[in-house]
Amino acid sequence: MDLKAQLKAAVEQAAAALGAPVTDSLVVIQETPANKPGDYGTPAAFQIAKVLGGNPAQVASQLAQRVELPAGIARVEATGPFLNFFVDVGEFVRGVVEDPTETPAKGGKVVIEHTSVNPNKELHVGHLRNVVLGDSMARIFRAAGHTVEVQNYIDDTGRQAAEALFAVNHYHRVWDGVQKYDHWLGEGYVRLNADPEKPSLEEGISAVMHRLEAGELRGEIEKVVRAHLETCFRLGARYDLLNWESDVVGSGFLAQAMNILEESRSTSHPTEGKYAGAFVMDVSEFMPGLEESQVVLMRSDGTAMYAAKDIGYQFWKFGLFEGMKFKPFMQDPEGKTVWTSAPDGEPDTQKRFGHAQEVINVIDSRQEHPQKIVRASLGVAGHPEEEERSIHLSYAFVTLEGQTISGRKGIAVSADEAMDEAERRALAVLAEINPDLAAREDAPEIARRIGIGAIRFAVLKAEPTRKIDFRWEQALALNGDTAPYVQYAAVRAASILRKAQEAGYAIDGTGADWGALPGVDLTLAKMVAKLPEVVAQSVRVHSPHVVAQYALDLATAFNAWFNAKDKAGKSITNVLHSPEGLREARLALVARLRKGFEETLALIGVEVPSAM
């Protein structure tokens, strides 16, 4: 039940009847402040009066007379230039319980690229922010009704991968088949970068790079990729397509993108000056204020700048040209096929991959300027809509217990170790607060959900551009802005329902007396009803922190409702001791709340444990 959307539509219809041209921004529905009358309101009369040339207070009065109130709204009042709506408590709560909002499928495919970790060593805890941000955005966009394709870019020709593979032979290392492969390979990489003899080994490293570019060592990189995916799967992330750098280069994306840009008035081949002989793009029209607006795409010797490769890949994501071949790579934990680009694959005749209406690249803040150039290139190429929908989801770095992370120097905690530690600590917390629960057969699964949930929530709850310092005690706390705090509220709701069913009470609204519900129940129901609005906002700002904060608000609202007391200190919301009819209405609300917790937490990849 999206009552705000219904009210918006009703006011827009009334405005149209008054002769006002309706735009999406004409009517905004807001919750009224606690000291103001009504439950929802709108200042739309101000905008409509500007259009019609009337007095805002008179327009509000006219709107109040014409607006057709949706179910759940008892009455409307014009208070000066404001229109205030009063909720029918029983009908509103009933609507929240019986008519949950279903998001319609939306036109437009969204491609989200995330993870894209160099295949030279294991993921460390700093990489978790990228993975969790991208995976959560995919979940949220799907919930908003979009078709979503998750891509993971594999840089199989880069120097980091070459150094890691060179170290294997140089130090005569042999994998025992037991240690996780990416961890084993990473040990050699760290050793090489600490080796004072490294400068003299450049010839050997370059030789490995040439073999990577020729595709001779792809099998070794695939071992690393599979190990990376194992880590990401455990974290809850899922992928649709792996795109390999060697395939992107080999598919001619660079040449095709440069051909498109050749047609632009903003590109040129200077014959004199410092850019003589180069292919240059002027981004001043699309990135105003730069000291130097000329971007070199191709050097005078014909070699490509790295930005040119990124531009070609972005053009392909938007479907500006075809090129790669694909084949199945592996099955994810749910049995869904993860595809990969591959020279021996099949052409994408059905245009299954790419062809996005919006592209979101989850990349750390160091790449902000290069990503702006990639975006500007779409404008240069004459694709303003694609430029507008080329999104860089930038994020700041993560520190662990105050320590800066460096994979090259080996100063890091691996993502695998972080998840192991999270589960160990979660089990220890369970044993401390509830020994009987910790002794249960499903205790490891409960600890897994709490531990992994704590990690995901800790890196999601802040806006991506804010630096975060991951600290174990804070992440696993049952109070405060943590996943366990929300999970505990969800478990408490489930406990109420379980006890009700054991007592033989209906939890589906059968026998409910909706009219008996007081205002304290309305406050909780209004919070439950906010989820569609929260999803829409998260999509609009391209950040899952909006959903994480809503999860905290939902848990706080439930706890306030659960602990509500009268002036004498007696509980006023004890569900199982409520009068018949009111009891069934409250049980139905708690059941909807419980579902709301699951829906909300699923958007950010946090699972609800069976007990806490």
Side-chain angles (χ1 to χ4, degrees), residues 497 499-508 575-576 583-584 587:
L497 298 173
K499 291 176 181 177
Q501 289 177 307
E502 290 171 353
Y505 302 142
I507 64 171
D508 62 356
V575 182
L576 300 182
R583 177 184 62 213
E584 282 68 26
L587 285 170

Side-chain angles (χ1 to χ4, degrees), residues 266-290:
S266 297
T267 58
S268 62
H269 293 270
T271 57
E272 55 185 26
K274 64 178 180 178
Y275 298 124
F279 180 44
V280 179
M281 176 173 67
D282 182 357
V283 297
S284 57
E285 183 180 343
F286 307 94
M287 295 174 64
L290 293 177

Side-chain angles (χ1 to χ4, degrees), residues 406-425:
S406 172
R408 179 180 293 272
K409 297 178 181 178
I411 304 173
V413 172
S414 77
D416 295 306
E417 291 169 332
M419 288 187 280
D420 288 342
E421 180 70 7
E423 293 182 27
R424 279 195 298 268
R425 287 177 178 252

Side-chain angles (χ1 to χ4, degrees), residues 422-474:
E423 293 182 27
R424 279 195 298 268
R425 287 177 178 252
L427 196 57
V429 171
L430 285 178
E432 182 179 338
I433 64 176
N434 192 340
D436 291 339
L437 182 58
R440 282 172 38 166
E441 186 178 344
D442 62 345
E445 172 60 16
I446 294 172
R448 184 192 69 80
R449 293 189 175 206
I450 294 172
I452 301 301
I455 288 176
R456 290 189 64 118
F457 202 90
V459 299
L460 281 179
K461 66 184 180 182
E463 292 184 50
T465 52
R466 284 181 54 190
K467 291 182 180 179
I468 57 174
D469 181 30
F470 185 90
R471 293 185 178 269
W472 289 110
E473 285 191 15
Q474 294 175 2

Side-chain angles (χ1 to χ4, degrees), residues 132 136 139-140 456-457 460 544 547-548 551 600-606:
V132 173
S136 298
R139 292 166 182 260
I140 291 165
R456 290 189 64 118
F457 202 90
L460 281 179
V547 176
T600 302
L601 290 174
L603 294 173
I604 51 176
V606 176

Side-chain angles (χ1 to χ4, degrees), residues 499-568:
K499 291 176 181 177
Q501 289 177 307
E502 290 171 353
Y505 302 142
I507 64 171
D508 62 356
T510 301
D513 181 0
W514 303 105
L517 288 165
V520 66
D521 297 81
L522 171 63
T523 301
L524 180 60
K526 285 168 72 174
M527 183 61 71
V528 174
K530 280 186 175 181
L531 182 57
E533 177 186 342
V534 169
V535 170
Q537 183 185 357
S538 182
V539 166
R540 188 167 58 252
V541 302
H542 295 92
S543 176
H545 85 278
V546 176
V547 176
Q549 289 299 318
Y550 169 70
L552 293 170
D553 292 343
L554 189 62
T556 300
F558 174 51
N559 289 335
W561 176 86
F562 183 86
N563 294 308
K565 293 177 174 58
D566 61 18
K567 292 181 179 179

Side-chain angles (χ1 to χ4, degrees), residues 83-345:
L83 213 58
N84 294 329
F85 300 94
F86 295 78
V87 163
D88 179 320
V89 176
E91 282 302 308
F92 180 88
V93 177
R94 182 176 184 172
V96 171
V97 169
E98 296 182 352
D99 186 27
T101 301
E102 292 185 6
T103 304
K106 294 186 178 180
K109 178 180 180 182
V110 179
V111 164
I112 300 177
E113 180 200 326
H114 69 81
T115 306
S116 306
V117 175
N118 287 324
N120 63 317
K121 65 190 307 292
E122 74 279 4
L123 276 73
H124 59 62
V125 71
H127 292 129
L128 294 179
R129 192 171 201 183
N130 185 304
V131 178
V132 173
L133 278 170
D135 178 65
S136 298
M137 277 281 84
R139 292 166 182 260
I140 291 165
F141 268 82
R142 286 194 185 101
H146 291 276
T147 299
V148 177
E149 178 181 301
V150 178
Q151 297 183 6
N152 184 354
Y153 191 82
I154 313 299
D155 185 2
D156 61 320
T157 63
R159 182 178 181 84
Q160 289 90 341
E163 289 184 355
L165 293 180
F166 171 81
V168 172
N169 290 327
H170 181 68
Y171 297 118
H172 308 290
R173 305 185 74 237
V174 178
W175 181 44
D176 62 7
V178 177
Q179 185 181 13
K180 199 159 174 281
Y181 186 79
D182 52 346
H183 287 252
W184 173 79
L185 192 70
E187 289 174 354
Y189 173 78
V190 172
R191 180 178 175 182
L192 177 66
N193 279 281
D195 192 334
E197 300 297 320
K198 185 186 175 186
S200 66
L201 305 175
E202 190 60 38
E203 184 177 348
I205 295 170
S206 296
V208 175
M209 286 187 70
H210 290 312
R211 292 186 67 195
L212 282 171
E213 291 168 358
E216 296 175 13
L217 300 174
R218 182 152 175 159
E220 294 302 309
I221 301 299
E222 284 190 359
K223 291 180 187 177
V224 187
V225 172
R226 289 179 185 275
H228 281 182
L229 291 179
E230 182 182 329
T231 299
C232 296
F233 288 159
R234 181 181 174 191
L235 191 63
R238 299 294 182 264
Y239 303 87
D240 298 300
L241 177 64
L242 311 177
N243 277 332
W244 294 62
E245 165 121 344
S246 57
D247 297 332
V248 170
V249 173
S251 297
F253 284 10
L254 178 63
Q256 294 189 70
M258 295 305 103
N259 287 339
I260 291 173
L261 290 170
E262 284 277 9
E263 303 299 318
S264 172
R265 58 181 173 80
S266 297
T267 58
S268 62
H269 293 270
T271 57
E272 55 185 26
K274 64 178 180 178
Y275 298 124
F279 180 44
V280 179
M281 176 173 67
D282 182 357
V283 297
S284 57
E285 183 180 343
F286 307 94
M287 295 174 64
L290 293 177
E291 272 189 38
E292 179 52 74
S293 62
Q294 301 292 325
V295 176
V296 176
L297 298 175
M298 304 293 292
R299 301 182 184 91
S300 58
D301 63 2
T303 58
M305 299 293 286
Y306 203 85
K309 298 178 184 178
D310 284 348
I311 289 169
Y313 185 37
Q314 193 81 342
F315 281 14
W316 173 81
K317 288 178 184 175
F318 277 111
L320 301 191
F321 49 75
E322 305 294 333
M324 284 196 292
K325 297 179 179 179
F326 306 94
K327 69 178 183 181
F329 183 73
M330 68 184 300
Q331 302 290 309
D332 70 16
E334 280 76 46
K336 182 183 174 184
T337 299
V338 179
W339 289 75
T340 181
S341 61
D344 60 343

